[in-house]
Amino acid sequence: MSVRANTPATSLRSKVAASLAVTLIGPPLLIAAGIGVVAPRYATQAAQKIAARDARSAAVALQTKCEAVGEAATAAARQAASYAAPYGSIPPQAARAIAVHTSAGRPEAAVAVFAANGQLLQVAGAPAGLGPVRAGGNGASCSAGLPGRDLRVAGLSERRIVQAVVDGQVVLVGHVVLWVPLDDAALRGLRTGLGTGGDLSLLGGGDRLLATSATKADRAPLLDVVRAVGTADAVAGMSYAVRQPGPGVPFGVLATASVAGVGWWRLLALIGLGFGLLAMLPIRALAGRLSGPVAEELATTTDELQLSRAALAETFVSFGAALEHTHNLDKLLDTVTTACLHGTGAVAGMAILTDEATRSGSPDPQLLPARGRVALPVPTAHAALDALPDLAERYFRDLDAGSELEPQFRYLPGAGPVVAVPIHSGDQLIGMVALARGEGATGFDALALPLVRALVDHAGTAITNVRLHEEVRRLSVTDPLTGVGNVRHLTAMLSREVAGATRFDRPLTVLMLDLDHFKQVNDTLGHQFGDVVLREFAHRLMTCVREMDTVARYGGEEFAVVLPDTDSAGGCRVAERVIRVVREEPFWHGSLSQMVTVSIGVAAFPGHGRTPTEILHAADEALYAAKREGRDRWEVAGSAPSAAAVSQAG
């Protein structure tokens, strides 16, 4: 019997064979297993994220529509109150005018006007399937999260009471009800407007399907999803997400998204497993041809590939996080800067934006404070981060001197190798990303920098979109003539301040202001002069209040001011200051001038009202009292919203 010695060559071949088996066969097998097991799960999770995003977007859109319904109902109720004041009831002609006018402004809605006893005076724009409209608003209130009863279709509804002052008393004279149906066609329009890929549905009590954007062919699997809500992640190849009913959205919002490619993923997994098993056959023969240095080099290369794969994975995770925050500039810059750090091996970085008016080649760019400051937990990171603002200043000085708009490399004490990468949006320079490797580190990898530049280019587009989004949001709550808030802004801020005052037992005062004889100014000096007066009055008004106060144009020449943490005495002092500032100096437009005065009504929480509507009504009553008492003065409301104003003119 012979014994074969275990020579070093044999041992080496065994090690090489094992290394090749692990290196060449292991990853395909793992990838195949990942494709077959992880990929379908990832596809399901991705579809769930899409459905959650769609449900969240639909809920926000419905909340916005609910606010619009409430504002329209409030405006109609105010108009009805003005008609009813001389009579103590709403005249039929006035009810018809109100319903027709409001319906013309919101053609998708039904508008109903009722008398105080619940008698229907007028209805306009009633959509099909609405059923009988009752003075109680069918029990529905989208802002309170109540879906209503006995309705054949889902919808958003609001009811407003109409009160008028008769013989010095505030009495109930009627109701106004607005109803916007949310049927299948409305949901299809909502889905198109939001650009969602799946379907949107509304659920009633017990997960009952009220309306859906799905076609008839897709309704059967959709009903399976509705029945399986809360019990499975995906049904019939679809993932879903549900937003529960709440204020602004009185129905459950169900969004579905298709889980794509599961069958193909599993087929690729089987192919990958077969390939991995077949690849094991030539391993032994190949191992005999390799030497120890080759095995060592292969191991080193494998380690480097693993590190590169990990860095690339972290970069993609950061970039995905950036996409989640496309409307939050600070979080967007944080995640973009973090992705740049992982992609270049830097230890510190920051994003610095320029003023929006700065363009490439323009002199003296205005730098905004550094944002997106990120430092890794290494000893040299914070020293490198502190040195980056100096790099930004040098970079923009070089641009002023005529340097090309390209990345610049430097070496800074405390920061080591640094690079400044410009952020573009079209032909506009909007900022830069500064990165540092740390003291004693090697220079930046030439292969990683193009990836960073590509990421920064995309970030420039995203930053511009965020700024445009913020500007559109600002314009939506701003009066275009005067630059102060509009009625929507006033309603939102007053509701927030009343909630805070109620919760923390803080004072709150509201001023209603109206320019005296403003119609005569327009008729005598022209509407252009009147616009100048309104703008200048808004400017003077802003000089009389604090930064925390809210100033809004209520309509025409009427303005409102919300004064948080201010009692009625403080509100009177502000009113006196406004009257004095307006009265002391004439209003000029070219060579024309005109003295203008203002009348002010003052109402405070909770003495004059506990809701936004009650406080505004009390301030409005005090304003009209100031008008009756001779104008150019202020009046304080009575102790309750139904009481007459108390004269405390300044």
PDB file of all heavy atoms in Angstrom, residues 348-378:
ATOM      1  N   ALA A 348     -15.370  65.043   4.685  1.00  0.00           N
ATOM      2  CA  ALA A 348     -16.191  66.194   5.041  1.00  0.00           C
ATOM      3  C   ALA A 348     -16.649  66.875   3.763  1.00  0.00           C
ATOM      4  O   ALA A 348     -15.967  66.850   2.735  1.00  0.00           O
ATOM      5  CB  ALA A 348     -15.428  67.191   5.921  1.00  0.00           C
ATOM      6  N   GLY A 349     -17.829  67.480   3.810  1.00  0.00           N
ATOM      7  CA  GLY A 349     -18.345  68.182   2.641  1.00  0.00           C
ATOM      8  C   GLY A 349     -19.449  69.129   3.035  1.00  0.00           C
ATOM      9  O   GLY A 349     -20.040  69.027   4.114  1.00  0.00           O
ATOM     10  N   MET A 350     -19.731  70.085   2.151  1.00  0.00           N
ATOM     11  CA  MET A 350     -20.829  71.016   2.374  1.00  0.00           C
ATOM     12  C   MET A 350     -21.300  71.545   1.034  1.00  0.00           C
ATOM     13  O   MET A 350     -20.561  71.580   0.047  1.00  0.00           O
ATOM     14  CB  MET A 350     -20.402  72.174   3.294  1.00  0.00           C
ATOM     15  CG  MET A 350     -19.343  73.092   2.706  1.00  0.00           C
ATOM     16  SD  MET A 350     -19.019  74.535   3.767  1.00  0.00           S
ATOM     17  CE  MET A 350     -18.603  73.756   5.311  1.00  0.00           C
ATOM     18  N   ALA A 351     -22.581  71.950   1.003  1.00  0.00           N
ATOM     19  CA  ALA A 351     -23.171  72.599  -0.167  1.00  0.00           C
ATOM     20  C   ALA A 351     -23.420  74.059   0.171  1.00  0.00           C
ATOM     21  O   ALA A 351     -23.950  74.372   1.238  1.00  0.00           O
ATOM     22  CB  ALA A 351     -24.475  71.912  -0.561  1.00  0.00           C
ATOM     23  N   ILE A 352     -23.003  74.947  -0.724  1.00  0.00           N
ATOM     24  CA  ILE A 352     -23.171  76.389  -0.534  1.00  0.00           C
ATOM     25  C   ILE A 352     -23.894  76.929  -1.758  1.00  0.00           C
ATOM     26  O   ILE A 352     -23.430  76.744  -2.889  1.00  0.00           O
ATOM     27  CB  ILE A 352     -21.822  77.099  -0.358  1.00  0.00           C
ATOM     28  CG1 ILE A 352     -21.066  76.507   0.836  1.00  0.00           C
ATOM     29  CG2 ILE A 352     -22.010  78.595  -0.177  1.00  0.00           C
ATOM     30  CD1 ILE A 352     -19.682  77.070   1.030  1.00  0.00           C
ATOM     31  N   LEU A 353     -25.037  77.570  -1.546  1.00  0.00           N
ATOM     32  CA  LEU A 353     -25.825  78.105  -2.647  1.00  0.00           C
ATOM     33  C   LEU A 353     -25.585  79.601  -2.802  1.00  0.00           C
ATOM     34  O   LEU A 353     -25.238  80.292  -1.844  1.00  0.00           O
ATOM     35  CB  LEU A 353     -27.323  77.855  -2.404  1.00  0.00           C
ATOM     36  CG  LEU A 353     -27.743  76.395  -2.255  1.00  0.00           C
ATOM     37  CD1 LEU A 353     -29.245  76.303  -2.102  1.00  0.00           C
ATOM     38  CD2 LEU A 353     -27.282  75.563  -3.437  1.00  0.00           C
ATOM     39  N   THR A 354     -25.790  80.095  -4.016  1.00  0.00           N
ATOM     40  CA  THR A 354     -25.728  81.529  -4.277  1.00  0.00           C
ATOM     41  C   THR A 354     -27.129  82.100  -4.259  1.00  0.00           C
ATOM     42  O   THR A 354     -28.126  81.371  -4.261  1.00  0.00           O
ATOM     43  CB  THR A 354     -25.089  81.807  -5.645  1.00  0.00           C
ATOM     44  OG1 THR A 354     -25.942  81.274  -6.663  1.00  0.00           O
ATOM     45  CG2 THR A 354     -23.721  81.171  -5.748  1.00  0.00           C
ATOM     46  N   ASP A 355     -27.188  83.412  -4.236  1.00  0.00           N
ATOM     47  CA  ASP A 355     -28.470  84.082  -4.380  1.00  0.00           C
ATOM     48  C   ASP A 355     -29.092  83.668  -5.703  1.00  0.00           C
ATOM     49  O   ASP A 355     -28.397  83.446  -6.692  1.00  0.00           O
ATOM     50  CB  ASP A 355     -28.280  85.597  -4.338  1.00  0.00           C
ATOM     51  CG  ASP A 355     -29.608  86.332  -4.381  1.00  0.00           C
ATOM     52  OD1 ASP A 355     -30.229  86.498  -3.329  1.00  0.00           O
ATOM     53  OD2 ASP A 355     -29.998  86.723  -5.487  1.00  0.00           O
ATOM     54  N   GLU A 356     -30.436  83.569  -5.755  1.00  0.00           N
ATOM     55  CA  GLU A 356     -31.104  83.058  -6.945  1.00  0.00           C
ATOM     56  C   GLU A 356     -30.858  83.935  -8.163  1.00  0.00           C
ATOM     57  O   GLU A 356     -31.001  83.492  -9.301  1.00  0.00           O
ATOM     58  CB  GLU A 356     -32.606  82.930  -6.689  1.00  0.00           C
ATOM     59  CG  GLU A 356     -32.935  81.881  -5.637  1.00  0.00           C
ATOM     60  CD  GLU A 356     -34.426  81.679  -5.478  1.00  0.00           C
ATOM     61  OE1 GLU A 356     -35.115  81.568  -6.494  1.00  0.00           O
ATOM     62  OE2 GLU A 356     -34.893  81.660  -4.336  1.00  0.00           O
ATOM     63  N   ALA A 357     -30.507  85.207  -7.981  1.00  0.00           N
ATOM     64  CA  ALA A 357     -30.272  86.096  -9.118  1.00  0.00           C
ATOM     65  C   ALA A 357     -28.869  85.964  -9.686  1.00  0.00           C
ATOM     66  O   ALA A 357     -28.551  86.501 -10.734  1.00  0.00           O
ATOM     67  CB  ALA A 357     -30.509  87.549  -8.714  1.00  0.00           C
ATOM     68  N   THR A 358     -27.943  85.262  -9.010  1.00  0.00           N
ATOM     69  CA  THR A 358     -26.551  85.148  -9.457  1.00  0.00           C
ATOM     70  C   THR A 358     -26.451  84.216 -10.644  1.00  0.00           C
ATOM     71  O   THR A 358     -26.943  83.100 -10.605  1.00  0.00           O
ATOM     72  CB  THR A 358     -25.680  84.608  -8.311  1.00  0.00           C
ATOM     73  OG1 THR A 358     -25.764  85.497  -7.220  1.00  0.00           O
ATOM     74  CG2 THR A 358     -24.242  84.483  -8.771  1.00  0.00           C
ATOM     75  N   ARG A 359     -25.814  84.635 -11.727  1.00  0.00           N
ATOM     76  CA  ARG A 359     -25.614  83.798 -12.906  1.00  0.00           C
ATOM     77  C   ARG A 359     -24.121  83.636 -13.157  1.00  0.00           C
ATOM     78  O   ARG A 359     -23.310  84.429 -12.691  1.00  0.00           O
ATOM     79  CB  ARG A 359     -26.291  84.398 -14.139  1.00  0.00           C
ATOM     80  CG  ARG A 359     -27.805  84.376 -14.042  1.00  0.00           C
ATOM     81  CD  ARG A 359     -28.436  84.852 -15.332  1.00  0.00           C
ATOM     82  NE  ARG A 359     -29.869  84.749 -15.264  1.00  0.00           N
ATOM     83  CZ  ARG A 359     -30.554  83.662 -15.583  1.00  0.00           C
ATOM     84  NH1 ARG A 359     -29.914  82.605 -15.985  1.00  0.00           N
ATOM     85  NH2 ARG A 359     -31.864  83.627 -15.517  1.00  0.00           N
ATOM     86  N   SER A 360     -23.786  82.616 -13.921  1.00  0.00           N
ATOM     87  CA  SER A 360     -22.371  82.376 -14.199  1.00  0.00           C
ATOM     88  C   SER A 360     -21.778  83.579 -14.900  1.00  0.00           C
ATOM     89  O   SER A 360     -22.349  84.126 -15.837  1.00  0.00           O
ATOM     90  CB  SER A 360     -22.237  81.129 -15.075  1.00  0.00           C
ATOM     91  OG  SER A 360     -22.989  81.262 -16.252  1.00  0.00           O
ATOM     92  N   GLY A 361     -20.614  83.996 -14.432  1.00  0.00           N
ATOM     93  CA  GLY A 361     -19.942  85.151 -15.002  1.00  0.00           C
ATOM     94  C   GLY A 361     -20.362  86.464 -14.395  1.00  0.00           C
ATOM     95  O   GLY A 361     -19.778  87.499 -14.697  1.00  0.00           O
ATOM     96  N   SER A 362     -21.381  86.488 -13.558  1.00  0.00           N
ATOM     97  CA  SER A 362     -21.813  87.754 -12.973  1.00  0.00           C
ATOM     98  C   SER A 362     -20.859  88.146 -11.857  1.00  0.00           C
ATOM     99  O   SER A 362     -20.317  87.288 -11.158  1.00  0.00           O
ATOM    100  CB  SER A 362     -23.229  87.626 -12.419  1.00  0.00           C
ATOM    101  OG  SER A 362     -23.257  86.686 -11.379  1.00  0.00           O
ATOM    102  N   PRO A 363     -20.611  89.422 -11.658  1.00  0.00           N
ATOM    103  CA  PRO A 363     -19.659  89.849 -10.622  1.00  0.00           C
ATOM    104  C   PRO A 363     -20.240  89.706  -9.226  1.00  0.00           C
ATOM    105  O   PRO A 363     -21.442  89.812  -9.035  1.00  0.00           O
ATOM    106  CB  PRO A 363     -19.411  91.325 -10.975  1.00  0.00           C
ATOM    107  CG  PRO A 363     -20.655  91.750 -11.681  1.00  0.00           C
ATOM    108  CD  PRO A 363     -21.147  90.549 -12.429  1.00  0.00           C
ATOM    109  N   ASP A 364     -19.345  89.504  -8.280  1.00  0.00           N
ATOM    110  CA  ASP A 364     -19.682  89.527  -6.859  1.00  0.00           C
ATOM    111  C   ASP A 364     -20.908  88.671  -6.531  1.00  0.00           C
ATOM    112  O   ASP A 364     -21.950  89.179  -6.137  1.00  0.00           O
ATOM    113  CB  ASP A 364     -19.933  90.976  -6.414  1.00  0.00           C
ATOM    114  CG  ASP A 364     -20.007  91.066  -4.887  1.00  0.00           C
ATOM    115  OD1 ASP A 364     -19.508  90.144  -4.224  1.00  0.00           O
ATOM    116  OD2 ASP A 364     -20.570  92.051  -4.390  1.00  0.00           O
ATOM    117  N   PRO A 365     -20.843  87.352  -6.706  1.00  0.00           N
ATOM    118  CA  PRO A 365     -21.996  86.520  -6.373  1.00  0.00           C
ATOM    119  C   PRO A 365     -22.290  86.565  -4.881  1.00  0.00           C
ATOM    120  O   PRO A 365     -21.376  86.569  -4.055  1.00  0.00           O
ATOM    121  CB  PRO A 365     -21.559  85.118  -6.826  1.00  0.00           C
ATOM    122  CG  PRO A 365     -20.064  85.161  -6.784  1.00  0.00           C
ATOM    123  CD  PRO A 365     -19.685  86.566  -7.145  1.00  0.00           C
ATOM    124  N   GLN A 366     -23.563  86.592  -4.526  1.00  0.00           N
ATOM    125  CA  GLN A 366     -23.980  86.640  -3.131  1.00  0.00           C
ATOM    126  C   GLN A 366     -24.139  85.212  -2.609  1.00  0.00           C
ATOM    127  O   GLN A 366     -25.011  84.468  -3.054  1.00  0.00           O
ATOM    128  CB  GLN A 366     -25.306  87.404  -3.005  1.00  0.00           C
ATOM    129  CG  GLN A 366     -25.228  88.845  -3.498  1.00  0.00           C
ATOM    130  CD  GLN A 366     -24.263  89.671  -2.654  1.00  0.00           C
ATOM    131  OE1 GLN A 366     -24.268  89.591  -1.430  1.00  0.00           O
ATOM    132  NE2 GLN A 366     -23.435  90.461  -3.325  1.00  0.00           N
ATOM    133  N   LEU A 367     -23.294  84.830  -1.654  1.00  0.00           N
ATOM    134  CA  LEU A 367     -23.334  83.477  -1.111  1.00  0.00           C
ATOM    135  C   LEU A 367     -24.322  83.404   0.040  1.00  0.00           C
ATOM    136  O   LEU A 367     -24.360  84.275   0.908  1.00  0.00           O
ATOM    137  CB  LEU A 367     -21.947  83.052  -0.618  1.00  0.00           C
ATOM    138  CG  LEU A 367     -20.844  82.948  -1.681  1.00  0.00           C
ATOM    139  CD1 LEU A 367     -19.582  82.444  -1.027  1.00  0.00           C
ATOM    140  CD2 LEU A 367     -21.268  82.052  -2.807  1.00  0.00           C
ATOM    141  N   LEU A 368     -25.113  82.329   0.038  1.00  0.00           N
ATOM    142  CA  LEU A 368     -25.996  82.060   1.162  1.00  0.00           C
ATOM    143  C   LEU A 368     -25.233  81.225   2.192  1.00  0.00           C
ATOM    144  O   LEU A 368     -24.191  80.651   1.894  1.00  0.00           O
ATOM    145  CB  LEU A 368     -27.233  81.300   0.668  1.00  0.00           C
ATOM    146  CG  LEU A 368     -28.078  82.050  -0.377  1.00  0.00           C
ATOM    147  CD1 LEU A 368     -29.221  81.169  -0.840  1.00  0.00           C
ATOM    148  CD2 LEU A 368     -28.604  83.355   0.181  1.00  0.00           C
ATOM    149  N   PRO A 369     -25.729  81.135   3.440  1.00  0.00           N
ATOM    150  CA  PRO A 369     -25.028  80.322   4.448  1.00  0.00           C
ATOM    151  C   PRO A 369     -24.886  78.872   3.995  1.00  0.00           C
ATOM    152  O   PRO A 369     -25.719  78.337   3.273  1.00  0.00           O
ATOM    153  CB  PRO A 369     -25.951  80.437   5.682  1.00  0.00           C
ATOM    154  CG  PRO A 369     -26.687  81.714   5.479  1.00  0.00           C
ATOM    155  CD  PRO A 369     -26.879  81.853   4.005  1.00  0.00           C
ATOM    156  N   ALA A 370     -23.773  78.241   4.435  1.00  0.00           N
ATOM    157  CA  ALA A 370     -23.500  76.853   4.044  1.00  0.00           C
ATOM    158  C   ALA A 370     -24.603  75.939   4.553  1.00  0.00           C
ATOM    159  O   ALA A 370     -25.064  76.051   5.677  1.00  0.00           O
ATOM    160  CB  ALA A 370     -22.148  76.419   4.607  1.00  0.00           C
ATOM    161  N   ARG A 371     -25.025  74.994   3.691  1.00  0.00           N
ATOM    162  CA  ARG A 371     -26.047  74.020   4.058  1.00  0.00           C
ATOM    163  C   ARG A 371     -25.554  72.651   3.620  1.00  0.00           C
ATOM    164  O   ARG A 371     -24.622  72.520   2.832  1.00  0.00           O
ATOM    165  CB  ARG A 371     -27.375  74.368   3.388  1.00  0.00           C
ATOM    166  CG  ARG A 371     -27.840  75.771   3.713  1.00  0.00           C
ATOM    167  CD  ARG A 371     -28.892  76.265   2.759  1.00  0.00           C
ATOM    168  NE  ARG A 371     -30.212  75.792   3.128  1.00  0.00           N
ATOM    169  CZ  ARG A 371     -31.332  76.235   2.565  1.00  0.00           C
ATOM    170  NH1 ARG A 371     -31.280  77.132   1.625  1.00  0.00           N
ATOM    171  NH2 ARG A 371     -32.493  75.765   2.934  1.00  0.00           N
ATOM    172  N   GLY A 372     -26.170  71.607   4.108  1.00  0.00           N
ATOM    173  CA  GLY A 372     -25.733  70.271   3.753  1.00  0.00           C
ATOM    174  C   GLY A 372     -24.362  69.943   4.315  1.00  0.00           C
ATOM    175  O   GLY A 372     -23.565  69.286   3.657  1.00  0.00           O
ATOM    176  N   ARG A 373     -24.053  70.424   5.531  1.00  0.00           N
ATOM    177  CA  ARG A 373     -22.741  70.176   6.141  1.00  0.00           C
ATOM    178  C   ARG A 373     -22.710  68.742   6.670  1.00  0.00           C
ATOM    179  O   ARG A 373     -23.518  68.367   7.507  1.00  0.00           O
ATOM    180  CB  ARG A 373     -22.494  71.154   7.282  1.00  0.00           C
ATOM    181  CG  ARG A 373     -22.478  72.617   6.833  1.00  0.00           C
ATOM    182  CD  ARG A 373     -22.511  73.556   8.031  1.00  0.00           C
ATOM    183  NE  ARG A 373     -21.385  73.351   8.916  1.00  0.00           N
ATOM    184  CZ  ARG A 373     -20.250  74.022   8.844  1.00  0.00           C
ATOM    185  NH1 ARG A 373     -20.092  74.949   7.906  1.00  0.00           N
ATOM    186  NH2 ARG A 373     -19.268  73.801   9.671  1.00  0.00           N
ATOM    187  N   VAL A 374     -21.756  67.940   6.171  1.00  0.00           N
ATOM    188  CA  VAL A 374     -21.669  66.525   6.549  1.00  0.00           C
ATOM    189  C   VAL A 374     -20.217  66.196   6.864  1.00  0.00           C
ATOM    190  O   VAL A 374     -19.315  66.578   6.123  1.00  0.00           O
ATOM    191  CB  VAL A 374     -22.181  65.611   5.416  1.00  0.00           C
ATOM    192  CG1 VAL A 374     -22.049  64.150   5.815  1.00  0.00           C
ATOM    193  CG2 VAL A 374     -23.626  65.932   5.078  1.00  0.00           C
ATOM    194  N   ALA A 375     -19.985  65.493   7.983  1.00  0.00           N
ATOM    195  CA  ALA A 375     -18.639  65.048   8.357  1.00  0.00           C
ATOM    196  C   ALA A 375     -18.723  63.614   8.855  1.00  0.00           C
ATOM    197  O   ALA A 375     -19.606  63.273   9.632  1.00  0.00           O
ATOM    198  CB  ALA A 375     -18.048  65.955   9.432  1.00  0.00           C
ATOM    199  N   LEU A 376     -17.805  62.771   8.373  1.00  0.00           N
ATOM    200  CA  LEU A 376     -17.759  61.391   8.833  1.00  0.00           C
ATOM    201  C   LEU A 376     -17.057  61.318  10.191  1.00  0.00           C
ATOM    202  O   LEU A 376     -16.266  62.200  10.544  1.00  0.00           O
ATOM    203  CB  LEU A 376     -17.017  60.523   7.808  1.00  0.00           C
ATOM    204  CG  LEU A 376     -17.650  60.462   6.411  1.00  0.00           C
ATOM    205  CD1 LEU A 376     -16.825  59.566   5.505  1.00  0.00           C
ATOM    206  CD2 LEU A 376     -19.083  59.965   6.488  1.00  0.00           C
ATOM    207  N   PRO A 377     -17.337  60.274  10.975  1.00  0.00           N
ATOM    208  CA  PRO A 377     -16.722  60.149  12.311  1.00  0.00           C
ATOM    209  C   PRO A 377     -15.267  59.699  12.252  1.00  0.00           C
ATOM    210  O   PRO A 377     -14.920  58.595  12.659  1.00  0.00           O
ATOM    211  CB  PRO A 377     -17.617  59.111  12.994  1.00  0.00           C
ATOM    212  CG  PRO A 377     -18.151  58.281  11.878  1.00  0.00           C
ATOM    213  CD  PRO A 377     -18.338  59.211  10.716  1.00  0.00           C
ATOM    214  N   VAL A 378     -14.389  60.539  11.695  1.00  0.00           N
ATOM    215  CA  VAL A 378     -12.946  60.266  11.672  1.00  0.00           C
ATOM    216  C   VAL A 378     -12.233  61.467  12.289  1.00  0.00           C
ATOM    217  O   VAL A 378     -12.778  62.581  12.311  1.00  0.00           O
ATOM    218  CB  VAL A 378     -12.452  60.014  10.233  1.00  0.00           C
ATOM    219  CG1 VAL A 378     -13.111  58.777   9.648  1.00  0.00           C
ATOM    220  CG2 VAL A 378     -12.741  61.210   9.348  1.00  0.00           C
TER     221      VAL A 378
END
